[in-house]
Amino acid sequence: AVVSTQSTGAMVSHGVMEEIPSILSDRFIHRRVARTIMGNYFMLPRRPVYGSEDILLRTPNRNYTVDNMDQLFLDLGVPLGPEMLDTVANSSYVEDPAVPVHCFNGKDIQTTSSYFYTNQKDFPDEIPTDVWGDGDGTVPARALKVCHGWESTRSVTEYSGKALGEHGKILDNKDLIKKVIDIVKDNQSCTEKCSIRNRT
């Protein structure tokens, strides 16, 4: 089962750091640490789900897309960013895995799709404005739906709204849990029957 997968990029939220008083936690320290964590680079938007026309970050002077992310890192003051991004460049898991797949994801939840700096002087140290789209509150819909188009996909289940489909809560969804258990039972039943058939 594929549950709320993020295989081609999510816009990492800055909201958590906004809610922590600066006297307790310096967001610039956390930012420096986050930029050294390799796992974060795996979550960046990439082709083929994002294209040249999809603006990830907009400033008065320049727009950034998947085409010029190296420049974005340099403009952010992250000289090692292009090298780290290159390391994960071919790690987008968008190809059909050629095994039976059941997709589960949330939808109809306000999700960051890009960022916008109104004033160039605020870039890159001030908090940008979120540009909202559909998704599960963390992962945009376009990334969640990658598995929907696979030939190997046997079923697609989408849960609308925060109560059932939010990224951090979907694994507590009782309907999802039941469906996954049923899928496992069906597979076990098939395996047992196939084994018996092969022995006779």
Side-chain angles (χ1 to χ4, degrees), residues 17-188:
M17 295 314 303
E18 287 183 79
E19 297 170 2
I20 300 176
S22 59
I23 193 173
L24 299 178
S25 178
D26 186 331
R27 64 184 176 88
F28 293 109
I29 294 176
H30 285 266
R31 185 177 72 176
R32 285 197 297 273
V33 172
R35 289 173 172 178
T36 66
I37 298 173
M38 197 66 197
N40 288 334
Y41 289 82
F42 282 95
M43 294 188 290
L44 290 172
R46 291 192 297 281
R47 293 184 182 278
V49 174
Y50 289 84
S52 303
E53 71 283 0
D54 299 309
I55 297 173
L56 306 176
L57 189 148
R58 183 194 303 271
T59 74
N61 292 352
R62 176 175 281 163
N63 294 333
Y64 299 93
T65 70
V66 290
D67 288 340
N68 61 346
M69 289 189 72
D70 284 1
Q71 185 62 52
L72 172 59
F73 281 117
L74 296 177
D75 292 347
L76 289 171
V78 189
L80 289 179
E83 180 182 340
M84 297 181 78
L85 183 62
D86 186 60
T87 301
V88 303
N90 298 316
S91 63
S92 291
Y93 304 106
V94 297
E95 300 298 328
D96 191 319
V99 296
V101 173
H102 300 268
C103 299
F104 299 87
N105 63 267
K107 65 175 185 175
D108 302 327
I109 304 171
Q110 185 172 262
T111 303
T112 302
S113 61
S114 64
Y115 296 115
F116 177 55
Y117 279 95
T118 306
N119 297 312
Q120 188 67 34
K121 65 181 178 61
D122 293 335
F123 176 76
D125 291 333
E126 298 303 318
I127 301 296
T129 299
D130 291 271
V131 179
W132 302 107
D134 187 29
D136 67 0
T138 298
V139 182
R142 66 171 68 197
L144 291 169
K145 293 181 178 181
V146 167
C147 64
H148 294 196
W150 291 339
E151 186 176 344
S152 298
T153 296
R154 300 293 180 262
S155 68
V156 173
T157 305
E158 295 186 285
Y159 298 101
S160 179
K162 291 184 177 181
L164 298 176
E166 191 171 40
H167 189 79
K169 298 178 181 178
I170 194 169
L171 290 179
D172 294 326
N173 184 319
K174 293 181 180 179
D175 181 73
L176 183 150
I177 294 171
K178 181 181 182 303
K179 281 185 167 62
V180 171
I181 291 173
D182 289 343
I183 290 169
V184 173
K185 286 181 177 179
D186 288 344
N187 287 341
Q188 288 178 334

